[in-house]
Amino acid sequence: MSKLNRKQDALDYHANGRPGKIAVVPTKPTNSQRDLSLAYSPGVAEPCLKIAENKDDAYKYTAKGNLVAVISNGTAVLGLGDIGPEGGKPVMEGKGLLFKIFADIDVFDLELNTKNVDDFVRTVKLLEPTFGGINLEDIKAPECFEIERRLKEEMCIPVMHDDQHGTAIISGAALINACELQQKKLEEVKIVVNGAGAAAISCSRIYISLGAKPENIVMIDRSGVIRKDRENLDALKGEFATDRDIHTLEEAIRDADVFIGLSAADVLSGDMLKTMRKNPIVFAMANPNPEIAYDLAVQTRQDVVMATGRSDYPNQVNNVLGFPYIFRGALDVRATAINEEMKLAAVYAIAKLAKEPVPESVNLAYNINNLKFGKDYIIPKPTDPRLITEVAPAVAKAAITSGVARAEIADWEAYKDNLRKRLGLDDVLMRDLSAAARQHPKRVVFAEADHYKILKAAQIVRDEGIAEPILLGNKEKIQQIIRENALDLHQVPIIDPFEESDTPRFKQYEESLYKKRQRRGLTLNEAHKFMFDRNYFGASMVEFGEADCLISGLTKNYATTIRPALHVIGTNAGCRIAGMYMMLTKKGPVFLGDTTVNKNPTEEELVDITVSLYDAVRKMNIEPKIALLSYSNFGSNDGETPNKMRNAVKKLHEKYPHIVVDGEMQGNFAINNQMLVENFPFSQLNGKPANVLVFPNLESGNIAYKLLQELGEAEAVGPILLGLKKPVHVLQLGSSVREIVNMVTIAVVDVQSRER
Ligand SMILES: NC(=O)C1=CN([C@@H]2O[C@H](COP(=O)(O)OP(=O)(O)OC[C@H]3O[C@@H](n4cnc5c(N)ncnc54)[C@H](OP(=O)(O)O)[C@@H]3O)[C@@H](O)[C@H]2O)C=CC1
Ligand SMILES: CC(=O)C(=O)O
Ligand SMILES: [Mg+2]
């Protein structure tokens, strides 16, 4: 894409639809007159009076405790300089957006039309009743230092100038890790800091707290190297003045180990970079354009560890990794400040996280196979879902131990769960199922092991103790994929049916298949040939107890995958085979069926499918509440589908009175229990919304789950195959690694439940 297009895209992004990037969203019901009278007059008077009696109740009855002000006067907006408060507003809205999506913190962005420190401080101080915290942003040095110092002294809520401390924390974490990778000691490295403003001074201070020696730091501003003999040197820059006989960046950079850029675009040339020591570290953090372009740096020095503030290159050293979680931790313990202890706790938590195995969702987001700690991955990616559960608790703990917290956190695991929930990362059910699977891991045979995603998933389930994988396929090919992707699958058995054809088990498998299918036209010779198909071979392993379950379907269509299982294993007596999807929604898990097998089930078949769904959901320790869906509510329409669903419900009520099931009903009534109760108080689904939805036909079930999945409303786990005598689970064509792992987990729990 040309630069010009990108510029237009950015403008369109901001202008299209509702202008800007953020909005205010009500958090309470506003459907009825009653709701409104509670939200506003007269009901609102009650919390007002409580708060008037005790100011702290503002945290209980208002949004204060989760509301941060992002405040700027637009004097140092990114590296764009003093572009005024209105000019800075898109950045401040952007920070608001990041606070929200990464830490569920609500933000009002406030752009102040003043360069006067007193006016700025007075205005912000007056806002204390409104906010739980203050994030100062893009205010130029030296005013930003005095503004922050005074506000910290005079306010009882946490105040942090993000360009100073957010940047210091992230680059500190990155520097620790870069030094380790480049085999340098922070205590010994020679650091050149280009820029002497808000970010540069605070970063240099934190590097010293982390071990760097002040005498090893040289700082440069627009006038060149900050030397002790400079006239009118202010105290802030004076802190880093040198008496070395150097005057320019060119002179300073020679033999330096580390370049820190917090100034302006393109000030470091390739030639200058060449003069740095072996294994240099370059953090060119000016935004939007770094002090040296990423490509130029890595082409000039192959031994460099290179980072920028941008998201389109590896190693984005940007305060977005910090401010959402630092404030999250501070707000959650009602900290009165963000102090040194909290900042250092954040540094170490971020640095440590970079060394942990990377979640598959992050690999996928960046389209990278196996992101690993190394020169191209020195700090976590901003989309890493673990940042909130690692950094926020570390900050909150440090606030408590350093004595600035006004609230305690008793149960840290529950706190982490709550953080995940905030971001909708809360697959409690999946986590419970994983925990259950880990109790008694099972042998899972993968029919398509000659595929990277399957091998990666196999590694994950083995690492996590969920399953013992067995790989089916060509040994050489599988081993090559393992090698190329540095996967750890040592000692995992690999079986190639083509190498098995003379073995007793192959004979046993083909004879068994022949016996089952001889009266359906199958010859022994054909049964022999079928067994080279890994779906037949894998299903036979399950049938003969050499594996506990089979996972397949990544590369073949559903029918082709399921047929061998039906031929080799078969269905439970009197059982109808059906497919169920588990949708992990923000409102909890919802099970949909049949989404994969029965095209247009009859009333009787719907009864069987409902019973299968009921049994499967109960096996997951969830009490099923089942709705049979249609376009009509309890007889409001007469049509083929409503009649079919209504009659199926009648049969279910007669035959299975213990099952909580009702219908026919429309989808919204099924999941909005208030609406259901108000309009149909006689319904069996009283008290809780339905968590199992039965569809009239394959079309509607399939459309529903795909729409939910694509609209980002829910993660789909499935299809979970119901009704087979032994566990075989069929993946969706092209499933992600995460989906495969989820499916294996379900399969293992399925095996366990059959053993009970
Ligand atoms: N990646 C990240 O997370 C972050 C990046 N930044 C980036 O850092 C830069 C500075 O931000 P901030 O500290 O808030 O701004 P300030 O205005 O407080 O500081 C800017 C500093 O850069 C110096 N400077 C400007 N041009 C040059 C140059 N050509 N050579 C040497 N020094 C120069 C200025 O020198 P003088 O003092 O002489 O005016 C000043 O000291 C921006 O580009 C910003 O985008 C900032 C925060 C976070
Ligand atoms: C990232 C940031 O805060 C800045 O560049 O100013
Ligand atoms: Mg900034």
Side-chain angles (χ1 to χ4, degrees), residues 76-78 91-92 95 136-139 161-163 167 319:
V77 179
L78 310 175
V91 173
M92 305 316 133
K95 292 267 168 179
L136 300 171
E137 191 69 42
D138 291 359
I139 306 164
H161 181 200
D162 178 39
D163 296 283
T167 320
N319 48 32

Side-chain angles (χ1 to χ4, degrees), residues 630-705:
S630 181
Y631 58 83
S632 130
N633 283 313
F634 301 100
S636 66
N637 272 291
D638 266 329
E640 199 184 315
T641 317
N643 290 348
K644 175 171 85 167
M645 301 309 270
R646 200 177 314 139
N647 292 339
V649 169
K650 194 160 174 267
K651 288 190 169 127
L652 282 159
H653 283 171
E654 283 162 11
K655 229 171 143 187
Y656 304 97
H658 62 285
I659 297 183
V660 179
V661 54
D662 221 334
E664 87 285 3
M665 70 178 83
Q666 295 170 349
N668 53 344
F669 285 95
I671 52 180
N672 185 335
N673 200 247
Q674 199 184 336
M675 259 173 78
L676 184 75
V677 172
E678 276 169 19
N679 291 282
F680 308 104
F682 53 85
S683 165
Q684 277 206 4
L685 298 185
N686 232 322
K688 270 199 166 177
N691 54 10
V692 180
L693 305 179
V694 181
F695 291 86
N697 50 38
L698 194 54
E699 217 165 10
S700 52
N702 189 280
I703 290 170
Y705 98 77

Side-chain angles (χ1 to χ4, degrees), residues 117 136 138-150 161 164 197-199 236:
V117 171
L136 300 171
D138 291 359
I139 306 164
K140 83 171 183 58
E143 297 87 318
C144 63
F145 292 101
E146 193 187 341
I147 289 172
E148 192 200 37
R149 183 187 56 74
R150 281 176 51 185
H161 181 200
Q164 291 184 54
L236 289 161

